[in-house]
Every structure is written in C-alpha cells, then in structure tokens.
Amino acid sequence: MVMGSSTIEKTMLTSFLIGGFWDRWIANGIPETTVYELRQRVNSLEDWIRILQKHADVYEQRAVCNLNQHLVEEAENFYRLAGMHYNLIQWMFPETGDQKRGWYQRCKDMHEQADRLVKDEIMNVTIQVEGNNCYGRIRVSERLKGCVIIINPIDSSKEELVKYEGYFAGMGFVTVSFDGPGQGETYAFNQYKATRQRWDLFVDAVIDFTALQFPGLHLYLFGTCLGGAWTIQGSSHPKVCRTVSVSPVIDGDTRVPDYFQERLLSIIDDSKSGLLLRMESFDYVCPILLVHGRKDTIVQGDYIYDLYTKLPMDKRLIQYVDEGHGCNYKIDAILKAAGDWYLSDTR
C-alpha cells in the first residue's frame, strides 16, 4: 500500500469535484488540456502518474527538438513544462519515500536542463537549520536592482514557482528561493519536517544568508498563502526593506480543505503547534503590500482588513473582486505590482 493512500484518494476526489483545486497549478504552468484529461480520466494514482508522465515526455521531446533548431527560449519553456508535470506527480505523495524522491528528481532534472539555457546565472545552494540541509536556488540577473527572497506556500516547492523568479529576474532582481522544513526537496530528501519554531529559524537563516551573499543590495520579501504569513514575520528582520504578502494565512478564522489538513499532518512534526503565526503586535515591520482576493474562502476579508489596520502607516492593500485564495489568475499583475513596490523603496 502506498503511504498516505487515503489522503491521496481524498486529494484526487477533490481535484475531480472542485475546479478551484486547479487554479494554482494552471497559474504556475500546468496547461488546461492536462487538467481536463486528469479530471476526465483519472480513477487511480496510477492514472494520475501515467497521464502526467505522458505529457512530460512529450514536452521533453519538444524541448530537445527546439534545442536542435537553436530555439533556446522555446526549449527552456518546454523543459519547465516537463518539470511542472513531474512536480505534480511527486506532490501527490504526502509522505516522503522512494516514489516521491524519484519523481522529484525527474522534476529537478528537467529544471536543470532549462537552467542551462538561460543567460542568468542560476546556482543550487544549501543552508542549515538545526543541522539539517535546506535546499535553494539563486538566480542572478544581468541588472542588479535588488534581491527578492521568495517564500513559498507550505505544500509547494521552489520548482513550482520558477515563473516568479523569471519575472523578477526580468525586472533586474536577484531571486532567492529555498525549500524550508516540510517543503519540497528539503522534506523529500531529508525528511526534515516543519514546526513553527523551525520556520522561524528558517526564515531568519534565509534572510541572513542572502544578506551575506549580496551585501550591496536591498532585500525584499515575496510570499503567498502560508508563505505570505511568514513574509510578514520576516518583515521584522532589520535587513528587509519591503515586503509583498499575498493571501497570508495567519492564526484566525481560516477554513482549510480536509485533504489539505491531512497533507499537513505528514509534514508537520508537532501537529498541536501548527504553523500559523499569531500576529498579536507589530512593534516593527518594514513597509508591506498586502494582496487579497474578495472571493477567498480560506482567508476572510474582515480578517485581512483587521491585519491591515495593525500594520504601520507605510502600507498598501490591493484587492481583486473576482479572485480567490492566492489570487492565482492575477499573478502577472501581482508580480508587476510587487516589482514596482520594491523599486519605490527610496532608502
């Protein structure tokens, strides 16, 4: 029996019944044609793997074909697409093991092929938290206007959000993205689970590491969902200049789907402590841009407004009337607004 099989079944059922399940994956690169096939033909984990692997193979072949024709940008995009499909396979396994690690490695392989095709320098790096390796990516663009640290949602990986790093790199920012405790490569290969204390240590470690690597650049934070909450936590760090937080999930009236709650039990070491931050006071945080979708069913609007009122005066709130949690279909506009917010830093 596959570890976490009941959670896998519940996740697949949710993906079949609820269209909003797919918003994040579509926004981050999974084509709607793949989504349609998964929703129509998946009856088992084997179906899920078979369909995604089939599409990944096609995209890898297209990448090779385009590379042979010296169409480098197109080849990069197809390698990224193949990687996203492998990422969605490994993501389905809530608990780490040989299968999750194997599919994750295929995801990494595709992104490494794509990394070789970009002009920017891309480095794989590690930091240590409590003696455990946490794995990250750094992308250095040709123009250096600042450095954006991307804090990913708890059930995401750095590979899922490569679109973000590409956008910020195009604006002239260095990007730094790590898998923290319970996330991505750090969990899959090291079995290092999450707690609130470990995430507190992790966020500080990422900021300190980045400040040492790029001492002449202003540091900015960007995060969504639970990652958005931890960017607010990181905003109190003296080396952070500005922050963007999208749909931050902080302790309060949150409504998390059942399948997601079960997935969290696999990656959290102390389920009683959870991962939600308790924002009781803001003695100091840097300027923060909050982004909220008015149709968010996980983070309620009243809660966001209460959070906003507690922030210092240098702040901004962007709301999208038709967006849900994560504002996935406005991500291009959000990334642009984030870049403008960072560049408005006059220090």
Side-chain angles (χ1 to χ4, degrees), residues 173-189:
F173 294 102
V174 174
T175 61
V176 175
S177 178
F178 275 87
D179 289 331
Q183 274 186 324
E185 187 176 2
T186 298
Y187 172 63
F189 289 91

Side-chain angles (χ1 to χ4, degrees), residues 129-157:
V129 178
E130 296 183 322
N132 293 276
N133 283 339
C134 294
Y135 301 96
R137 290 168 57 89
I138 295 177
R139 180 166 178 164
V140 183
S141 64
E142 294 179 347
R143 301 165 295 161
L144 300 181
K145 296 181 180 178
C147 183
V148 178
I149 300 171
I150 302 171
I151 308 293
N152 304 317
I154 186 60
D155 69 329
S156 296
S157 66

Side-chain angles (χ1 to χ4, degrees), residues 90 96-97 100-101 104 183-191:
Q90 71 82 25
T96 191
K100 186 177 185 70
R101 286 190 289 267
Y104 199 110
Q183 274 186 324
E185 187 176 2
T186 298
Y187 172 63
F189 289 91
N190 282 355
Q191 304 181 49

Side-chain angles (χ1 to χ4, degrees), residues 8-143:
I8 291 173
E9 291 173 0
K10 186 173 290 186
T11 303
M12 286 193 295
L13 181 61
T14 304
S15 74
F16 174 74
L17 295 175
I18 302 176
F21 171 94
W22 293 102
D23 291 348
R24 67 183 267 198
W25 297 106
I26 293 171
N28 291 333
I30 295 291
E32 293 191 42
T33 52
T34 301
V35 172
Y36 178 82
E37 187 172 359
L38 286 168
R39 296 191 73 189
Q40 294 297 314
R41 300 185 180 181
V42 166
N43 294 304
S44 65
L45 176 61
E46 289 73 23
D47 291 337
W48 183 276
I49 293 172
R50 174 181 54 79
I51 290 171
L52 286 167
Q53 184 175 15
K54 176 190 69 176
H55 286 282
D57 287 342
V58 169
Y59 288 124
E60 183 179 2
Q61 292 168 14
R62 290 183 181 178
V64 172
C65 181
N66 278 274
L67 196 56
N68 289 336
Q69 298 177 55
H70 306 289
L71 301 173
V72 176
E73 185 174 345
E74 290 83 351
E76 180 205 345
N77 291 335
F78 282 126
Y79 277 129
R80 301 281 187 212
L81 277 169
M84 281 297 297
H85 283 70
Y86 286 129
N87 194 24
L88 187 48
I89 295 177
Q90 71 82 25
W91 175 86
M92 181 56 80
F93 295 90
E95 299 180 12
T96 191
D98 291 341
Q99 290 192 78
K100 186 177 185 70
R101 286 190 289 267
W103 292 113
Y104 199 110
Q105 186 60 53
R106 294 199 192 191
C107 168
K108 284 189 60 183
D109 291 344
M110 291 298 100
H111 283 291
E112 286 175 2
Q113 293 279 13
D115 291 346
R116 297 188 184 104
L117 303 179
V118 302
K119 294 181 180 178
D120 299 335
E121 181 183 9
I122 297 179
M123 298 172 282
N124 294 312
V125 292
T126 61
I127 59 173
Q128 286 206 331
V129 178
E130 296 183 322
N132 293 276
N133 283 339
C134 294
Y135 301 96
R137 290 168 57 89
I138 295 177
R139 180 166 178 164
V140 183
S141 64
E142 294 179 347
R143 301 165 295 161

